[in-house]
Structures are given as C-alpha cells and as structure tokens.
Amino acid sequence: MDVVRATYEIETALPLEATVATIAGEQSTGTFVAVRGETERLTARHAATVESIDELPPSGRPPLPGASGDWSVARRARVRIAFPLHNFGASLPNLLAAVAGNLFELREVGALRLIDLDLPMAFADAYPGPGFGVQGTRKLVGRESGPLIGTIVKPSIGLSADELAALVREIVEAGIDFIKDDELQGSAPCLPLAERVRAVMSVLKPYADRTGRMPMYAFNITDDISRLAANHDLVLEAGGSCVMVCVNLVGLAGVHYLRERSELPIHGHRAMFGAFSRSPQLGIGFTAFQKLARLAGVDHLHTNGIANKFYESDEQVLASIEAVRRPFLGGYHILPVLSSGQSAGLAHATYAATGTEDLLVLAGGGIHGHPHGSAAGVRSMREAWAAAIEGESLDARAARVPELAAAIDKFGRR
Amino acid sequence: MDVVRATYEIETALPLEATVATIAGEQSTGTFVAVRGETERLTARHAATVESIDELPPSGRPPLPGASGDWSVARRARVRIAFPLHNFGASLPNLLAAVAGNLFELREVGALRLIDLDLPMAFADAYPGPGFGVQGTRKLVGRESGPLIGTIVKPSIGLSADELAALVREIVEAGIDFIKDDELQGSAPCLPLAERVRAVMSVLKPYADRTGRMPMYAFNITDDISRLAANHDLVLEAGGSCVMVCVNLVGLAGVHYLRERSELPIHGHRAMFGAFSRSPQLGIGFTAFQKLARLAGVDHLHTNGIANKFYESDEQVLASIEAVRRPFLGGYHILPVLSSGQSAGLAHATYAATGTEDLLVLAGGGIHGHPHGSAAGVRSMREAWAAAIEGESLDARAARVPELAAAIDKFGRR
C-alpha cells in the first residue's frame, strides 16, 4: 500500500502518544465521537498510522492560543505519520487536506508544524514538475557553468516603459544572465504586462541578434488563473524566455495549471511564504513547501541568500538551498534563487557554504545601487563569483577590479 | 486615486514610526538602498502611505525569529497603510503581493498580522462574488426561514458507495437541509467523485421526486485546477445542487476560476486556515481572509461554531460569523457555516449570540453519533433551533422531545 509520510514538530500539554493518535485520526478515519460504520475493516484500510515519536526539549515558548492542558508540563516531539495514499490520491490539493487540513487548529496542540513530506512515486506520475530545471535554464541563458547572475527591476513600481527599457538596456549590456520583474509588478495598471513585454523585448531582441545570447527575463505574470495562459502566451509570442509567478498567490494548484500550459521556464517567487512559516510553532516549513512547489512545476524557487534583509538565519537559508538541490522522486532538479540583500561581497561565503555553481543569484540594490551604476554592479557580482570559483580571495580580486572594491565598500562582505 | 487600506497589528523593537514606514516602502516603492530613478514624482504617485498608528500594550510574547532590536522595549501597534490601487490593479493575487507579500519576513518586526482590508469598488467590478449567497441557497434547499441544518459524511474516509447511499438515505428521510463531503474526501481513489455523485444522487433524486424538496449535497470537488470544471459539470449533470472546495487548497485564485465556470453554489471550506492564522503574531486574520474568499466567489464559508473542538474561542467564532454576515462592497451576502463539535444543546446560545437565522449549522458526530441514530440527531437539531427561535427554553423543549433530551445528555449544552 502506497503511503505518504509526513513529519511534524508538535508541542502539547496533553499525553504525547494520545495527542499524536488524535492527529492521525483527525486526518483520516476519526471524528469527535465514535460513530457507527467506523469498523475495524475501515480503520485497517484507511487509518493514518503513527510511525515514530522522537521527543525534543520543550521550546519554552508560550503555546498558540486555545491549547488544552497545563503548559508547564508541555512536551515537544518530532513525529512521523503515514497516510494511505488511496485516501486522497496523487493530487496536491487533496494531499494538503490530509497532511495539513485542520491540523493547525487542533486544541490538543500548542504548536504544530509540517516539516517534511515523503511522497510515493505516484506523485511523479501525476506531476511532471519542472519543464526546464537547471540545465534547461542554463541552455536558454547560454551559460553552461558558473552561477547565473541576475537582478530585479528596481524601483519595482512606477517606471515608465521607456525607463524600464533604458534600465534593462544598461543591465544587459553589462552581460547579466537574468532579470526579473518584482513580485509587486504582476498586473500593475501603471505599467501593464503587455507594455512591459514590449519595452523589455525591444531591448533583448536586438541584443540577442547582435550577441547571439539572450538574457532571461522573468516576466511576472501572476494574476487570476484565467489570465495565466494568455499572459504566458504574450511572453512566448514576443520571444521571451521565462515567466514568473508568485507560488502562494496563484496557489500550488495555479502553478500546476500554468505548468500544464507553459512552454517557458517558471520562475517561482515565494511571496507570502512567511505568513505560514515564520512562526517556529506553526505552519509549513521550507523543506516540505519546496517539494510541493517542485511537483507543481517551478523551475526556479526563491530561497533567500545569506546575510539577507529578511528574518532567516544563514543556517536556515543554506538548509533551504540544500533542500531545493536535493534530488526528489528521482529528479525535479531546479535552481535555487538567492535573493534579498545580495551583493558581490557575499560570493565567497556563499560558494564556500553551498559548494555549487548551480545557483541563480539575484542582486537588486546590490546592482542598481552600485556607486558606479548598474553595469558596474553586474561586473562586481561576476568578478566576485569568478574569483570564488577560481580560488582567488575576495581581497585579491577586489585589488584588481575597482567595481568589486566599490561594491564591497558600499554593501559589505562576509 | 483609488486606494486599498490594509490594517495590520505589528510589534517591533525598532522605532515604531520608522518600522511602519519600512513596511509601506517594502510593499511599494522601496528597496534596501536608495537607487537611481526613485524620484519624488514616482514616490508621490506610487508610495504606500501610513494613515494611522494606534499603539497597543506589548504582547509579552517572545518575538518571531530573526526580529531586530532589543525586545524588552518592544512596542505593539495597530497600523493602517493605504496602497495606490494602480500599483497592482483589482487582482486578488496581485493585491496579496502588495498587502502581504514579503511583509511577514521583515526582520524589522517580531510580529506582523494582516487584520483587515478596505477595498475600493474596482474589486466589485472585477469579482462577481457569490452566485447564490444566502437567498439563492435557501431557494435551492427549499427552506425560507430558520437555520439550515446540515451534516458531514462521517466517517470521512472508507465508506463504500452503498454505505454512503444508505447513510444519506437515513439522513434525508429525517428532513435534513444540507449534507457535505468531508474535506478529506476530494478525489479519494477509494471512493472517487463520480461514484459518490452516483451513489448520493440515487438517493436524493427519488427523495426529491417524492417530496418536492431536494436537500443540498456539497460534493467536495477540490482537486487540480484543470479538473475543477469537469468535476463541477459532473455534479451539475447528475442534478446536484452544490459543489465544495477547500479555499486554501485550490487557492483564492482557484476558487475564482471555479466561480467563473460554476452554475452551482460554492461551499467554501477553510481547511489549512490555521496554518497562517492561529499565531496571534503572524499571518492573516479571519476578517481579512473572509473578504478575499467572498470576492473569489464562495457562497458559504466555514467560521466554526461556539464550543467547537478547535482552538478558537467563542468570542473569535462570533466575530467571524459577524464578519461574514456584514455587507461588503454593497453585497457579497454569504452563509456562515458553523461546524466542529456542533450539537443541539448549542442552539439557544448560538441564536442568542448571533441574533440571526441565516446560518448553516453542521453537526457531524452530533448527528451521526446520536444515541438513537442519525435521524434522531437531525430531529434534535431542528427542535432545538425551533425552540430557540420561538423563545422556548432548551429544557422545556427537551422535556417534550426525547431526541433532544438524548442529544443534550450525550453532547452537552451551553
């Protein structure tokens, strides 16, 4: 019998084993009173089963609201529960009903977090996942090795089409690999997608004609589901090579819907991820989330980078990058996207910690805010990464490359 | 200029006014360093503006991970920020990018929660909202007044088609208004939607032919987006009168996609709502969430009921019911769905606290677990509500109605 194994961290003031049994019951055959029809046959075929309970030290945090029991005796544990696949089938939305569903609302727990999911191959049969992945993206970009260096259009809101074109021109002339719209820039009436596509492609196409290489521009096509296909087609027909969606805003199901219709790589932004992940007591952790996003079909997924401006520690970021790079169901190779507060001075530390060149490193302010302009910002990133990969120290390279020295001076280093 | 007003509760150990300005900047014209092009013109047209900051007592909770500053001097506040609509347009996914997006990940805050949204009429133009609402549902059910009494198929998993049909037969013969699939029952290979529809309609249609009244059955059609329309059509063509989706599992965008194609009321289940709402420090509160769900097009939305088995207090539940019933953008009237641990003994307290009959009250175990069987469970609910509305005490009615007395004896009361 195929099963889905879900790993949770929970904390409870009630008897631990009974609480874990409640969780398994709530999400399979249980209800709050014994009801007729709930026979042994049914339980044997359909009940979720508790596979392990590994106790952890109590968190010391006050419980989430509504938790039952005397919290001074709370116990915390990592638990693993197996759910029969035939209860819900290889369907991402219905998988979530089983492994997440109402669990977060149980008063039996004062903390409950979905940490990881082990999925049977039936999900690989149902979900093709990334259509391009690491190698497909490299091929489209025309960069076989080294990290892909990218940037975000900033300011994210308010540029005219001409200003956007001028900005893109400056950056592509500096040899960038990748540019993305901001997550705020989906359907802005102040610069609609069709106009962005026209403005950007009016720069990229002549550049590609001249150089034989077209930087990838991820157009943010996030919108109502009914517009996703048309938005995608707009980009495709204009000769664009990537679309971006905010995974949590169109939903995992929305990403999969796009994937079924997409002929371009899908750049997955994780906006709103923090809403269900920043609390250590609640929600869904990145390790579980990224598997769902890969199944849904993203080719790139945001992980943040080290020394980012958001809340995540370097340790968390590095764990996220590692999770995204780990093969899953025999493949689903996608590019982790390192962003937020990234700049040239982080290249050596990032390379040392991740040990890979298969990264998409985005610097927004770290490129546009470079004291010598965006082109110098791109060069600082490229040189820093080349040095890191070649084994040359940041200082040594900076002594030879003034754009790098200026970047370190302005944005710092690790 | 049309604006969206978002209300947040935040807590920060950094200077309060500066932190709120950071939030407004992050979600509109800001980035982490001053960049070229960010001119005054652009700011004037596109910047989100802080409208109010009302300080609240500190929460006393430890901050979310990664919060900057010395938490012993943390300040908490309710803040209101206005976002120019032309930054993102009347698009639910892109609205969320602006008012939620990366905000939850800011290290400047140790707590941030989106509490409410005031939306301009442009959203009403873009989103038709509920196609049936309260009156349309009443009409289909054939019950002009009084609460709609409903139940959930339990056990949720593992019934055969014949067992399901037998269960439904028993319940409809008792005069129930509404039955729903469990949220776990979307696409279960062990009892696929097509078989559920066949089994249920084989009972409902003869019953309707005989009595002139067809109870509403909400078939859980939650699945990948591409299957929603076909699933809906399956129900429609079989003569069914309602479809159910888990709002957070197909996504708000998925609900809207279904709404554009639906000829039936959409029963909105809130599974996984707790993942981004149970922490008082993080995520999105019900008042904001229910507006988004109503725009997306649900006709019914789960609020829980008082004395429920989940974490929410009666105060929270009553606030949710009130929020769902409050007119919004000139309409969007939907039915609040009271569920979880509901039984006959709660009718008087619920009616007294809500002051309305426009409720869909679901009892799962409270009906199926009734000591005299499901039919007696239905009667106990109906009698209790009739008494509450007629002004007869629970005890007086129970003295006359043995099914009610048995229900109170088994499930308790308020």
Side-chain angles (χ1 to χ4, degrees), chain A residues 169 172-175 203-214:
Chain A
R169 185 171 298 114
V172 297
E173 292 295 345
V203 175
L204 293 193
K205 281 176 120 173
Y207 178 85
D209 288 345
R210 203 176 79 227
T211 64
R213 195 177 149 275
M214 183 152 86

Side-chain angles (χ1 to χ4, degrees), chain A residues 140-176:
Chain A
L140 283 173
V141 171
R143 190 165 297 279
E144 282 179 22
S145 63
L148 304 185
I149 302 295
T151 191
I152 306 130
V153 169
K154 294 279 179 184
S156 56
I157 298 271
L159 291 179
S160 69
D162 287 346
E163 288 167 336
L164 175 62
L167 180 67
V168 170
R169 185 171 298 114
E170 179 179 348
I171 301 163
V172 297
E173 292 295 345
I176 204 152

